[in-house]
Amino acid sequence: GVFNRVLELLKSMDTAKEVEMLQKNRALGNPKHHRQVLDLFEEIRQELADIIYMWAAQSGLPRGPTVSLIGYLRTLKTEEDANGTI
């Protein structure tokens, strides 16, 4: 269940929603603090993605989690520079 939990956390992380909530509650300070918070969210997101990658590389993924991961990857928006598709 750990893999599914990590994937769910990755899916549920929405930086825009979190920043909106922080701004609504006046929890974001100056631009420097705002940047630090955004960087922290991106680091957490990257660590969760690294966990999934390392798990898959070390032990392989069963069919169910693989299908879930592919489904999640299909929903992601790519950067404008990216030209790969899933």
Side-chain angles (χ1 to χ4, degrees), residues 9-69:
L9 285 170
L10 194 57
K11 287 178 182 179
S12 68
M13 284 192 70
D14 186 1
T15 306
K17 282 183 182 178
E18 295 294 332
V19 169
E20 181 182 329
M21 182 192 63
L22 289 170
Q23 286 177 338
K24 181 180 176 184
N25 294 321
R26 297 182 182 179
L28 283 179
N30 59 20
K32 179 182 175 186
H33 183 251
H34 189 266
R35 182 80 239 147
Q36 287 174 333
V37 170
L38 288 177
D39 289 345
L40 181 61
F41 279 128
E42 288 306 312
E43 286 176 30
I44 292 169
R45 200 178 172 97
Q46 183 61 51
E47 291 298 326
L48 290 171
D50 287 345
I51 289 169
I52 290 175
Y53 175 76
M54 288 183 244
W55 187 310
Q58 289 179 2
S59 61
L61 294 177
R63 187 172 198 267
T66 301
V67 171
S68 297
L69 181 59

